[in-house]
Amino acid sequence: MSLSGDARSDHGSAASAVADDLAQLILGELAPGQSLPSEADLAGRYSVSRLTIREAVKLLAGRGLLELSRGRRAMVREPDGSAFTDFLTSLVRTDPKGLFDLVEVRLSLEMQSATMAAKRANRAGIIAIENALQGMRDSVGDSPDFADEAAEASFHAFDFGFHEAVALASGNRVLGYLFEAMAVPLREGFFISQRGHADRGHTPQDTIAAHQRILDCIREGNGRAAAEAMRIHLRDTERDIRMALTKMAQSPARS
């Protein structure tokens, strides 16, 4: 028998309320890899039907908190930034302002990560930053520009790796998590900013030099200088994006 509109609404409200309570259980008491109690146990605990429990579990799976598989109880997922990634990716693809919003967030996060990396980075952290920077160099070689699209893609991948390595070297796990979640939108932003970088008369070698200054300050343990080097680099990135978007707006629309 089909539910009336009011009944469906009541059912949805119950499932949402159960999902909110279960989320607290998952985040506060259960470890990744653990299974939820059975549907029967949960239905008894919340005094609702098994159907309501199933809907609540689906809601939590949609939030990325649970993993569902046929014939098994729902399992707590390892936390990841997939929902955050999807949001940021959609933002930078559909709204040019989203790119500037992302740069503003990066300014706060990356100046802080550079400061802390200068104070806390161990030898392994420094090596990871050095390797990413070397990857950028290897991608472009001695040329003033990229040899092809593959070289540019490689360059941007190592560019992201540099910033992620700085965040990880800070010793702050939340910063590392955030950079993992921002990987896709940041790389897409790099391609756009590179267009503006070239239009402003700069080369990939200039980008490498900016990253080298950040690394040098981190090596020296100078947190203030590392933050300032990062600020200058990201402000340049902001100008690159502005230039690229201006040129794109001025280009005649394709028929």
Side-chain angles (χ1 to χ4, degrees), residues 25-223:
L25 173 69
I26 292 166
L27 295 171
E29 300 180 25
L30 300 181
Q34 280 189 269
S35 297
L36 284 186
S38 68
E39 283 185 0
D41 288 342
L42 291 173
R45 176 185 300 186
Y46 293 107
S47 299
V48 297
S49 69
R50 290 194 182 191
L51 178 60
T52 298
I53 294 299
R54 290 189 199 114
E55 291 301 317
V57 167
K58 288 179 182 177
L59 289 172
L60 292 174
R63 297 183 198 176
L65 294 177
L66 294 175
E67 184 175 340
L68 305 182
S69 56
R70 186 181 297 274
R72 296 175 58 188
R73 292 183 189 176
M75 183 179 297
V76 178
R77 287 186 59 178
E78 288 280 355
D80 63 47
S82 56
F84 186 46
T85 298
D86 292 342
F87 165 73
L88 287 178
T89 302
S90 175
L91 189 66
V92 301
R93 288 177 178 174
T94 60
D95 181 6
K97 184 180 180 297
L99 288 165
F100 296 108
D101 291 341
L102 188 56
V103 171
E104 287 182 355
V105 170
R106 289 183 65 194
L107 270 166
S108 298
L109 293 178
E110 297 205 57
M111 287 178 66
Q112 182 71 0
S113 66
T115 300
M116 291 191 294
K119 296 177 180 178
R120 301 176 179 175
N122 56 25
R123 184 56 189 154
I126 295 293
I127 290 174
I129 301 171
E130 291 173 342
N131 287 343
L133 184 55
Q134 187 59 49
M136 293 172 69
R137 286 197 179 94
D138 292 342
S139 297
V140 71
D142 296 326
S143 172
D145 204 351
F146 302 112
D148 50 35
E149 292 182 0
E152 182 177 3
S154 174
F155 183 88
H156 294 321
F158 282 113
D159 191 347
F160 171 79
F162 178 96
H163 291 273
E164 184 180 37
V166 172
L168 293 172
S170 75
N172 187 299
R173 290 175 296 173
V174 175
L175 281 173
Y177 170 87
L178 288 172
F179 268 85
E180 179 183 349
M182 291 193 297
V184 173
L186 279 183
R187 289 181 186 177
E188 293 198 7
F190 286 169
F191 279 95
I192 294 173
S193 64
Q194 181 57 42
R195 301 284 84 78
H197 194 68
D199 289 335
R200 291 176 62 221
H202 299 301
T203 71
Q205 303 295 346
D206 296 320
T207 303
I208 290 171
H211 287 70
Q212 182 67 61
R213 285 191 289 273
I214 296 167
L215 173 57
D216 289 342
C217 295
I218 292 173
R219 278 194 189 125
E220 293 164 4
N222 191 332

Side-chain angles (χ1 to χ4, degrees), residues 3-11:
L3 293 172
S4 68
D6 289 343
R8 282 195 296 269
S9 176
D10 290 345
H11 174 70

